Every structure is written in C-alpha cells, then in structure tokens.
Amino acid sequence: MRLILLGPPGAGKGTQAARIVDNHKIVQLSTGDMLRAAVKAGTDVGLKAKDVMDRGELVSDDIIVSIISDRIDQADCSNGFILDGFPRTIAQAEALEKLLQEKDLKLDAVIELEVDDSILVERIESRIRETGGARSDDNVETLKKRLAVYHEQTAPLVVFYKGRNILQAVNGMAPIEAVSQQIDSILAETVAV
Ligand code: AMP
C-alpha cells in the first residue's frame, strides 16, 4: 500500500501517519523528519537545508526528490509506505510519478487533511507552549510563512491529484480518533490489501 498524506503544517499528518503505520505494517516517510535528522547529523544536505527550514521555506526539489527516491529503494519499503510532507510542489509530484513508474510501483491513495488556518495557528501555538519550541521552526512567525508557502506551492496538489482521480479529502478538524476512522474507511474501500 502506497499513500500520500497531504495537508498544511499542523494538520495532523504525523499523528495519522503513525496510526496507519501501526495498523497496516508499512513505513512512514517524513521528509521533514529526514531533513531534521540530516541537520542534526551535520551532513551536506543538513547544512544546505537548515536555514531554509528555519525560515519556513522549502528545500530544493532536487534534494528532496533524491532523498525520497533512495529511501523508497530500501528493503523496509517493500510492503508499502506513507509519504508525510512529500510531495510539496507540483514539480515534486511530477518527479514522484516518474520515479514510481520507473520502479514499477503504483500509488493507491492521496488523503488530504482539511484544516482551517485559524485552527492550525492555535495548534502550533499550543505545540510551542508544550514543547518550549523544541523544533527550531516552531514559532508563530515561521508558522505563518509555512502556511503561506503551503497555500502557494502545495495546495495546487489538491487539483493535481483530483485530476488523477486519486484524492480523498478528510475533515482534519474532527477529533483524532474520528479522523483515523475516516482514513480507515477510505483505505478499506480504495486499497486492495
Ligand atoms: P515538516 O516537518 O513536514 O513540516 O517539514 C519541516 C520543513 O522541512 C519544511 O518547512 C521545509 O523547510 C522542509 N521540508 C520538508 N519536506 C519538504 C519537501 N517535500 N519539500 C521541500 N521542503 C521540505
């Protein structure tokens, strides 16, 4: 099973991805987590990505696509994966289509978590209060930038995947349990497991 979780920062993609991983024995591929690990390890990619991430902007498509392409080739992805935070631009979505084709793999579903901006701001503010801003891009200023970038560069993917008849929207403002149930029923209908 191969899925994309699409949605703005703070929509709950990470939380829902973790639940899907548990239920379906597939791996979660979060480009944000991979980049944060690269920053922490001080790799070339990490050095290039750090400032861009701290500003709430997007790391270049080339870097991201090559990270994902290599990651998908690893053995633990053979049972399937859930992409969390990727693709984030039309160019990334097109590159993903191409690389899946080359690897002879098919995408089963794109699930969009719909959440209003005002709720996202509240959620991130409380995450900052809870964690004391553990993530260096977790501050209100950066969040606003990340939201603007989402609307500008990532939201067009909704139309892109609608055009491929693969998009399923879920109300991401419902309680976590209810969101999971919506996702589970979509997966039961669309994915042959
Ligand atoms: P996230 O944890 O998904 O919110 O990602 C944190 C930051 O990592 C983003 O604000 C971007 O700077 C960068 N990032 C993560 N995924 C991508 C992607 N697919 N394309 C470009 N930049 C990304």
Side-chain angles (χ1 to χ4, degrees):
M1 180 164 84
R2 288 169 217 95
L3 307 173
I4 294 175
L5 263 191
L6 192 63
K13 298 188 295 295
T15 304
Q16 294 301 332
R19 293 182 160 223
I20 298 169
V21 162
D22 280 348
N23 294 339
H24 295 271
K25 307 290 169 245
I26 57 175
V27 291
Q28 173 186 5
L29 305 184
S30 156
T31 43
D33 285 350
M34 292 177 204
L35 290 169
R36 280 185 286 279
V39 169
K40 207 167 161 199
T43 64
D44 281 354
V45 165
L47 290 175
K48 278 187 202 152
K50 177 156 192 353
D51 290 344
V52 179
M53 292 170 75
D54 284 348
R55 287 199 301 272
E57 292 169 8
L58 294 185
V59 174
S60 84
D61 291 333
D62 290 355
I63 292 182
I64 295 288
V65 169
S66 98
I67 291 178
I68 280 289
S69 179
D70 291 348
R71 186 64 188 83
I72 287 174
D73 289 338
Q74 289 175 21
D76 63 344
C77 290
S78 60
N79 199 34
F81 49 79
I82 175 156
L83 296 171
D84 159 14
F86 173 89
R88 254 179 161 94
T89 63
I90 295 282
Q92 289 179 16
E94 285 170 345
L96 176 66
E97 267 187 349
K98 195 163 156 255
L99 73 86
L100 288 179
Q101 223 165 33
E102 284 164 6
K103 296 178 201 291
D104 210 12
L105 299 174
K106 205 179 137 286
L107 208 54
D108 296 291
V110 179
I111 297 175
E112 180 199 4
L113 296 179
E114 293 181 308
V115 180
D116 293 343
D117 280 9
S118 56
I119 292 184
L120 297 171
V121 175
E122 276 170 26
R123 283 187 186 175
I124 302 261
E125 280 174 349
S126 67
R127 185 160 88 190
I128 295 167
R129 276 194 296 275
E130 278 162 24
T131 63
R135 273 177 55 169
S136 61
D137 60 351
D138 254 357
N139 59 68
V140 175
E141 220 33 61
T142 311
L143 168 67
K144 291 199 173 136
K145 177 66 184 173
R146 281 159 63 206
L147 270 183
V149 168
Y150 178 81
H151 288 299
E152 214 173 277
Q153 302 196 55
T154 308
L157 293 180
V158 170
V159 175
F160 179 92
Y161 285 118
K162 266 187 190 158
R164 272 122 178 108
N165 275 327
I166 200 175
L167 188 94
Q168 306 261 13
V170 160
N171 175 10
M173 292 170 283
I176 292 177
E177 208 38 65
V179 176
S180 291
Q181 278 169 15
Q182 290 179 72
I183 292 176
D184 279 345
S185 54
I186 288 172
L187 295 182
E189 275 172 31
T190 54
V191 182
V193 259

